[in-house]
Amino acid sequence: MSLSAETILPIDDAFFLTGPTAGGKTKIGVRLAKLIDAEVISLDSMAVYRMMDIGTAKPTESEREGVPHHLIDVCDPWDEYSLASYLKDAARAAGGIRARGKRVLFVGGTPLYLKGALCGIFEGPPADPAYRTELIRLEESEPGSLHRLLAERAPDDARRLHPNDTRRVIRALEIFRASGKSISSFQTQFHAEKSETNQRRGILLDWDRPVLNGRINRRVDLMMRDGFMDEVRRLTALGRPLSKTALQGVGYAELLAVLRGESELSGAVERIKLRTRRFAKRQATWFRSLPGLTPVKMTEPADPEAKAHEIAELLL
């Protein structure tokens, strides 16, 4: 298979430490990096943004304890930063780490970034704006026509996609027009190729839900005490709106609503806690679907040093 420019292979010869938000990854990751002589690549989609520190629980310089951390503070909060951008930057960082004779340790809990680093991504041929416009007009004039067309050309894709999922149906037709193949056939070949890459090792910090929920609630309270609201005020003073990607960071939209007078602070804090707990639940679903993650049971009180030693024995 000839890989297109939009196809990115997995990142091999690396260790992964992941788990839910508020699960203690940063402290354990720093101690683990020291034990295995590694540098850390952040697996956090929000830590890439400068000036977004408290709300993202970004590790401070003192918390990094002299361990180099990569892909933190790489773009401004009004910039968009995609999965493809992350994987390309991560591959470059990993290459530099290996050149220095160090191991590569990914630490973080953004599920999409983790999946991309573990499995790579396949996006197929580039978009064809003119053809997309033609398909959109056809669907507007004859609803359901695109799915019927897909069933004729790429029946495997048609069976997989709902007729109302117009965006993905259009993408499937676009790929078929450019290649003569279905998305399903491309993905099957891509996954067969990546399965031949070197084994990757991942550790999942596994918390019981009630305990994790308590940790989440305490973390949000601590973030508010440490000046999360002031951080959001400083961001509004920059004169440029946060990008759509940056606004996905839990808590920022809620506190911006407070500053606009649309919400009370106490209610916003409770919504941040609820949204964070729901995010942790979604993370758990993602983690269960990913290959090669070994669960390590976590309990309170957490001992980062002891847990790092336990994990190092599993990895090495």
Side-chain angles (χ1 to χ4, degrees):
M1 173 182 174
S2 176
L3 297 177
S4 77
E6 292 181 278
T7 299
I8 302 176
L9 292 173
I11 297 174
D12 299 315
D13 191 22
F15 296 113
F16 294 82
L17 176 66
T18 192
T21 185
K25 298 181 293 296
T26 296
K27 291 182 179 179
I28 295 173
V30 166
R31 286 157 178 79
L32 178 61
K34 292 180 177 180
L35 288 173
I36 67 174
D37 194 23
E39 295 183 18
V40 170
I41 298 179
S42 170
L43 261 173
D44 189 323
S45 62
M46 294 296 112
V48 301
Y49 288 107
R50 304 182 189 99
M51 298 174 280
M52 295 176 64
D53 302 326
I54 297 171
T56 64
K58 187 183 299 176
T60 64
E61 287 294 335
S62 62
E63 288 171 334
R64 299 175 204 179
E65 298 183 19
V67 174
H69 280 58
H70 304 271
L71 300 197
I72 290 178
D73 293 335
V74 299
C75 59
D76 291 318
W78 48 82
D79 295 329
E80 298 291 348
Y81 191 78
S82 68
L83 171 61
S85 297
Y86 171 80
L87 293 177
K88 292 171 185 175
D89 289 345
R92 281 192 291 268
I97 292 169
R98 295 189 195 103
R100 290 186 287 277
K102 301 287 187 177
R103 290 188 170 99
V104 178
L105 175 62
F106 284 84
V107 178
T110 298
L112 194 59
Y113 281 17
L114 175 61
K115 183 177 182 180
L118 284 169
C119 304
I121 58 173
F122 168 75
E123 297 183 0
D128 184 339
Y131 184 55
R132 286 189 175 190
T133 300
E134 177 185 330
L135 292 175
I136 291 170
R137 288 172 178 168
L138 176 60
E139 183 68 15
E140 289 174 348
S141 62
E142 300 178 42
S145 59
L146 295 190
H147 194 267
R148 292 192 293 270
L149 184 61
L150 184 62
E152 295 172 4
R153 298 180 179 180
D156 287 346
D157 289 345
R159 283 191 290 270
R160 186 173 55 86
L161 297 174
H162 192 279
N164 294 337
D165 193 351
T166 306
R167 181 177 65 85
R168 288 185 173 86
V169 169
I170 288 175
R171 181 60 178 152
L173 286 168
E174 188 175 55
I175 288 176
F176 184 86
R177 183 172 188 258
S179 66
K181 296 181 180 181
S182 67
I183 292 179
S184 302
S185 65
F186 267 116
Q187 290 175 334
T188 299
Q189 192 174 357
F190 174 62
H191 288 298
E193 288 193 11
K194 76 177 179 59
S195 67
E196 298 173 2
T197 60
N198 294 333
Q199 182 180 5
R200 289 160 298 279
R201 298 171 182 171
I203 296 295
L204 170 63
L205 302 183
D206 184 22
W207 289 90
D208 289 336
R209 183 63 52 76
V211 178
L212 180 63
N213 286 345
R215 288 177 63 92
I216 288 170
N217 292 339
R218 290 191 294 275
R219 171 187 272 190
V220 173
D221 287 337
L222 184 62
M223 289 161 60
M224 296 306 301
R225 189 199 71 186
D226 288 346
F228 190 9
M229 178 61 82
D230 290 335
E231 176 172 284
V232 174
R233 285 194 183 94
R234 288 193 294 272
L235 290 170
T236 61
L238 297 174
R240 301 183 67 173
L242 299 185
S243 68
K244 291 181 180 179
T245 310
L247 271 175
Q248 292 173 7
V250 178
Y252 288 91
E254 288 81 0
L255 295 186
L256 284 169
V258 173
L259 292 180
R260 293 193 299 265
E262 300 168 0
S263 173
E264 295 293 331
L265 179 58
S266 59
V269 170
E270 291 307 309
R271 283 191 291 276
I272 293 170
K273 291 178 180 178
L274 176 60
R275 187 179 166 198
T276 307
R277 294 193 300 267
R278 287 175 174 171
F279 174 60
K281 187 175 181 179
R282 291 196 302 274
Q283 284 177 303
T285 300
W286 270 87
F287 296 147
R288 286 194 295 269
S289 72
L290 295 177
L293 295 180
T294 301
V296 170
K297 192 65 180 177
M298 299 293 294
T299 57
E300 294 281 33
D303 184 340
E305 187 70 31
K307 196 58 64 173
H309 278 275
E310 178 185 342
I311 293 169
E313 290 182 3
L314 290 172
L315 294 177
L316 300 180

